Amino acid sequence: MRNATSAGFVREAAQLAEKLGYDVLLVPDHLGAPAPFPVLATAAAATDALRLGTFVLNACFYKPALLARDVAALHELSGGRFEVGLGAGYVKEEFDAAELPFPSAGKRIDYLEHVTAYLAEHVPGAPIVIAGGGDRLLTVAAKWAATIGVTGELADRVEFLRGVAGDRFADLELNVAITAVPTDGSGIPDLKMTRRFAPGHSDEQLLQLPGVLSGTVGDQADKLRRLRDEFGVTYFAVQAGHAEAFGKVIAALK
């Protein structure tokens, strides 16, 4: 969910997600977008079983003790339904706007691990989600996270995770973000968002990416099953604009 124009809008969106069979409602963390914690608190009050999460907080924007306080409060007030998603941050312009230094990638990942370790110790009941694709970030995720949002070339990244996670790999939940879903009955998705992350790909190449669904509802469900069977991916995140169309895929998977 990227828009939150009113409390009523948030409540209706959360209730619709629950009705359509979604397991979790996710809110991003970007300047210019709604603040995650108030939005999720509003969604929690309007739903009964829907899990709630950040996808993902920029760890470099937070001091661990202050973030732990907010995480603990939302987790408790939601009845234990909150999962805290974390990332290292990557948009320099947002650091500039927040009047924060923009460290090197390595230092941002070091700080992400510092925040993650603090949350794991002080709010152990809230599952941790870490998203990214680089070796160092995935190594941190393999150590601390319950769920890992995998970016990059899926087969390679999953194999890397398997190596660095060791015995812990069997307990990890793997996530893939779905960036394109057919919404008009044609079976053809809008590839605009996907192309931003893979600008050199042809349309045919984009359609083969794990995060792109096409064809009938049955075709889309079959692709998700293949990702589960081949790579162990069981957690799929879709964009708010795709929620109703993807609801039909959820129904086909059940």
Side-chain angles (χ1 to χ4, degrees), residues 31 58-61 87-103 108:
L31 292 182
N58 179 346
C60 294
F61 281 4
Y90 63 94
V91 182
K92 181 181 183 300
E93 290 76 12
E94 292 189 4
F95 283 79
D96 293 342
E99 299 183 14
L100 292 170
F102 184 63
R108 296 199 307 275

Side-chain angles (χ1 to χ4, degrees), residues 76-173:
E76 182 174 348
L77 292 172
S78 67
R81 289 185 283 147
F82 180 58
E83 58 186 46
V84 54
L86 299 166
Y90 63 94
V91 182
K92 181 181 183 300
E93 290 76 12
E94 292 189 4
F95 283 79
D96 293 342
E99 299 183 14
L100 292 170
F102 184 63
S104 67
K107 289 183 178 179
R108 296 199 307 275
I109 293 172
D110 287 343
Y111 191 75
L112 167 66
E113 182 164 25
H114 171 59
V115 172
T116 303
Y118 190 96
L119 292 178
E121 178 182 355
H122 291 86
V123 199
I128 291 172
V129 181
I130 295 179
D135 287 1
R136 283 203 60 212
L137 190 143
L138 289 179
T139 300
V140 170
K143 179 179 178 181
W144 295 104
T147 300
I148 300 178
V150 183
T151 63
E153 203 286 309
L154 186 59
D156 175 76
R157 297 294 76 198
V158 171
E159 190 59 29
F160 178 83
L161 265 176
R162 192 185 303 276
V164 295
D167 293 341
R168 196 168 183 268
F169 183 80
D171 297 323
L172 295 176
E173 183 176 38

Side-chain angles (χ1 to χ4, degrees), residues 5-223:
T5 53
S6 69
F9 177 89
V10 173
R11 286 194 293 266
E12 288 178 10
Q15 289 166 350
L16 176 61
E18 194 165 56
K19 180 180 178 181
L20 290 172
Y22 284 90
D23 295 309
V24 59
L25 177 72
L26 301 172
V27 174
D29 182 28
H30 290 290
L31 292 182
F37 285 95
V39 172
L40 291 170
T42 302
T47 55
D48 298 313
L50 189 70
R51 292 189 61 80
L52 310 147
T54 51
F55 198 77
V56 288
L57 295 178
N58 179 346
C60 294
F61 281 4
Y62 300 90
K63 293 297 184 182
L66 300 178
L67 180 58
R69 179 185 63 177
D70 289 350
V71 169
L74 184 50
H75 193 59
E76 182 174 348
L77 292 172
S78 67
R81 289 185 283 147
F82 180 58
E83 58 186 46
V84 54
L86 299 166
Y90 63 94
V91 182
K92 181 181 183 300
E93 290 76 12
E94 292 189 4
F95 283 79
D96 293 342
E99 299 183 14
L100 292 170
F102 184 63
S104 67
K107 289 183 178 179
R108 296 199 307 275
I109 293 172
D110 287 343
Y111 191 75
L112 167 66
E113 182 164 25
H114 171 59
V115 172
T116 303
Y118 190 96
L119 292 178
E121 178 182 355
H122 291 86
V123 199
I128 291 172
V129 181
I130 295 179
D135 287 1
R136 283 203 60 212
L137 190 143
L138 289 179
T139 300
V140 170
K143 179 179 178 181
W144 295 104
T147 300
I148 300 178
V150 183
T151 63
E153 203 286 309
L154 186 59
D156 175 76
R157 297 294 76 198
V158 171
E159 190 59 29
F160 178 83
L161 265 176
R162 192 185 303 276
V164 295
D167 293 341
R168 196 168 183 268
F169 183 80
D171 297 323
L172 295 176
E173 183 176 38
L174 302 184
N175 163 292
V176 163
I178 304 297
T179 59
V181 175
T183 58
D184 60 2
S186 68
I188 302 172
D190 182 347
L191 297 171
K192 187 182 303 180
M193 175 179 288
T194 312
R195 188 170 287 109
R196 283 166 37 199
F197 301 104
H201 285 49
S202 67
D203 284 2
E204 188 167 328
Q205 289 172 320
L206 292 176
L207 289 170
Q208 301 307 311
L209 294 176
V212 175
L213 301 182
S214 61
T216 66
V217 168
D219 294 334
Q220 296 170 59
D222 285 344
K223 181 168 184 175

